[in-house]
Amino acid sequence: MSDPKFTPRVFSGIQPSGGLTLGNYLGAIKRFVTMQDEAFETVYCMVDMHAMTVWQDPKDLAHNTRELAAGFIASGVSPEKSILINQSQVPEHAQLGWIFNCVARMGWMGRMTQFKDKAGKNTENVSLGLFAYPALMAADILVYHATHVPVGEDQKQHLELTRDIAAKFNHDYGVDFFPMTEPVIEGAATRVMSLRDGSKKMSKSDPSDASRINMTDDADAIAKKIRKAKTDPDALPSEVDGLKDRPEARNLVNIYAGLNEQSVEEVLRDVGGQQFGTFKPALAELAVAKLSPISTEMARLMADPAEIDRILARGAGQAREIATPILKKTYEIVGMVG
Ligand code: AMP
Ligand code: TRP
C-alpha cells in the first residue's frame, strides 16, 4: 500500500538516445497511457541528461528529443492529461541529483548491472556521468515525490536503488520526507527480447536493425523483420509450460499478447498447434495494425517541431510548480542557506 501522506503521482522517463522501439512501447509507454486515466498525476520525461552519459551528437540529441516527444503523444500520452517535459528544462532534477550523489554509496553504484553492461571492459574510459546516472534517476523521481514508476523489467534494480537513496536520506536527516516509490512492471511484455537472439533485450543501441522493431518502421519493414525473426522448428504449444526453454517462441507470443492486450494463456488458447509459418504473418498483421497509425501520427507531429517545443516549455512550467517547493524543503533539511 502506498503512504497516504503522498499524492498519488506517476513519473517515468525514456532516453532520447535513438528511435523508440517496440520494447519501449510495450514495456513502458502503453502503461504511461493507461495510468493517465487512473487516479494519478502523471509526469513523463525525455531524459536528455541521461542520454548524454554516452556521446550524443548535439543535432541528433535535439532531433531525438523532439521525436521521442512526438512518439509519446502519438501513442496516446496527452499533453492535457499529463505533464510532458525534457529533463534539462527542469533544473531541479540536476540540483537534487547532486544531493543524491552525496547520499548514494560507491558500492551501491558499482553493483548496477546496467552500468556493468554498458561499460563492459572499458570502465576506465566511460564517463563519470554513466556511473552516477542512477542517482540522477532517483532525483528525477523523488523531486516530484512520485509514488509510482511504470518501467520495463530492466529498470527494477534502479528503482530499488531509488528506494535505498530515499531511505538513507530520511534516516540520515531524521525525517520522513521522501516516499518509498513503487515500481509498476506489468503486462505480457515487460522484457521484449531481440528478434535475432532470444537471450538479449530488444534495444535501440543494438547494431543490428533487424533485431528490433522501430516505431518509425513502415509496414514492409515490420513484416520482413517478423518473418526473419529467429524461431525454432516446433509448433506453438497450447499451454504456457510449453514455452519453457524456447526463448524466441516465448518472445513472439509475449509480443502478440502485449499488442493485442491479451494474456499469454489467452493467446496460446487461440494459436496453440500453429506453425510459425502461420503465426508470424498473423503477428506481422497485428503489429502493423497497431503501430502504423502511431508512426503516421509521429510524422505529422514532427512536421511542426515548434509546436512540440511549446508543449515541452509548458510542461516544464507545470513540472517546476511541483518540483520547486520539494527542492526548497530538501535544501532546508540539509542545511543550505537560502
Ligand atoms: P530506455 O530506452 O533504455 O530509456 O528505456 C525506456 C523504458 O523502456 C524503460 O522503462 C525500459 O524499462 C523500457 N524498455 C526498454 N527496452 C525494453 C524492452 N526490450 N522490453 C521492455 N521494456 C523495455
Ligand atoms: N534509466 C531509464 C532507462 O534507461 C530512464 C530513466 C531515467 C527513468 N530517469 C527515470 C525511468 C526515472 C523511470 C523513472 O530506461
Side-chain angles (χ1 to χ4, degrees), residues 12-29 32 45 47 50 68 72 114 118 133 137 149-156 159 184-185 189-194 200-205 251:
S12 196
I14 298 187
Q15 300 195 36
S17 50
L20 273 173
T21 69
L22 181 65
N24 296 133
Y25 178 67
L26 293 177
I29 300 181
F32 298 0
C45 186
V47 289
H50 285 284
L68 180 56
F72 276 40
Q114 193 179 54
K118 283 199 176 182
Y133 149 126
M137 174 165 166
V149 178
V151 281
E153 180 70 39
D154 61 327
Q155 295 302 312
K156 201 169 168 201
L159 291 174
V184 180
I185 302 173
T190 55
R191 188 169 173 79
V192 178
M193 308 310 282
S194 156
K200 264 177 40 194
K201 189 181 77 162
M202 181 181 286
S203 159
K204 51 189 141 202
S205 56
N251 188 39

Side-chain angles (χ1 to χ4, degrees), residues 60-306:
D60 293 344
L61 183 60
H63 172 85
N64 289 338
T65 301
R66 294 190 179 103
E67 190 180 75
L68 180 56
F72 276 40
I73 298 168
S75 304
V77 174
S78 153
E80 308 308 321
K81 295 182 189 168
S82 292
I83 300 176
L84 210 55
I85 55 170
N86 59 311
Q87 187 184 25
S88 57
Q89 215 170 159
V90 183
E92 287 78 8
H93 291 235
Q95 290 174 288
L96 185 61
W98 179 258
I99 294 182
F100 287 171
N101 279 346
C102 301
V103 173
R105 305 288 94 182
M106 292 289 283
W108 301 358
M109 310 309 272
R111 283 191 283 278
M112 293 295 114
T113 54
Q114 193 179 54
F115 174 75
K116 289 193 251 183
D117 289 347
K118 283 199 176 182
K121 290 193 179 62
N122 196 23
T123 47
E124 288 290 309
N125 260 320
V126 295
S127 74
L128 177 57
L130 188 69
F131 188 69
Y133 149 126
L136 179 59
M137 174 165 166
D140 297 336
I141 296 166
L142 293 172
V143 84
Y144 301 100
H145 277 183
T147 54
H148 293 78
V149 178
V151 281
E153 180 70 39
D154 61 327
Q155 295 302 312
K156 201 169 168 201
Q157 195 187 28
H158 289 160
L159 291 174
E160 282 159 11
L161 182 91
T162 299
R163 294 164 70 101
D164 289 342
I165 290 177
K168 182 163 164 59
F169 181 98
N170 288 346
H171 174 267
D172 288 354
Y173 292 100
V175 291
D176 181 16
F177 184 60
F178 287 115
M180 289 298 126
T181 303
E182 303 278 347
V184 180
I185 302 173
E186 281 173 2
T190 55
R191 188 169 173 79
V192 178
M193 308 310 282
S194 156
L195 298 178
R196 309 300 300 165
D197 176 352
S199 68
K200 264 177 40 194
K201 189 181 77 162
M202 181 181 286
S203 159
K204 51 189 141 202
S205 56
D206 193 309
S208 158
D209 192 61
S211 72
R212 64 179 158 264
I213 293 176
N214 305 299
M215 297 302 283
T216 49
D217 283 345
D218 62 21
D220 282 350
I222 295 176
K224 190 163 165 218
K225 286 175 179 177
I226 292 178
R227 196 168 58 240
K228 291 197 158 171
K230 188 175 166 201
T231 41
D232 56 41
D234 296 339
L236 285 160
S238 332
E239 306 282 333
V240 181
D241 260 5
L243 291 173
K244 231 172 66 206
D245 303 323
R246 297 178 66 188
E248 284 88 10
R250 173 195 296 273
N251 188 39
L252 295 186
V253 172
N254 285 352
I255 292 174
Y256 191 101
L259 285 170
N260 216 24
E261 283 158 43
Q262 284 181 298
S263 67
V264 171
E265 287 80 0
E266 281 167 341
V267 173
L268 291 180
R269 218 171 292 147
D270 295 339
V271 306
Q274 279 182 14
Q275 297 291 338
F276 283 104
T278 310
F279 180 67
K280 280 179 167 180
L283 175 59
E285 197 182 318
L286 174 65
V288 169
K290 297 283 178 178
L291 302 181
S292 68
I294 299 177
S295 65
T296 307
E297 179 62 5
M298 275 174 82
R300 193 188 70 76
L301 292 163
M302 281 304 277
D304 186 3

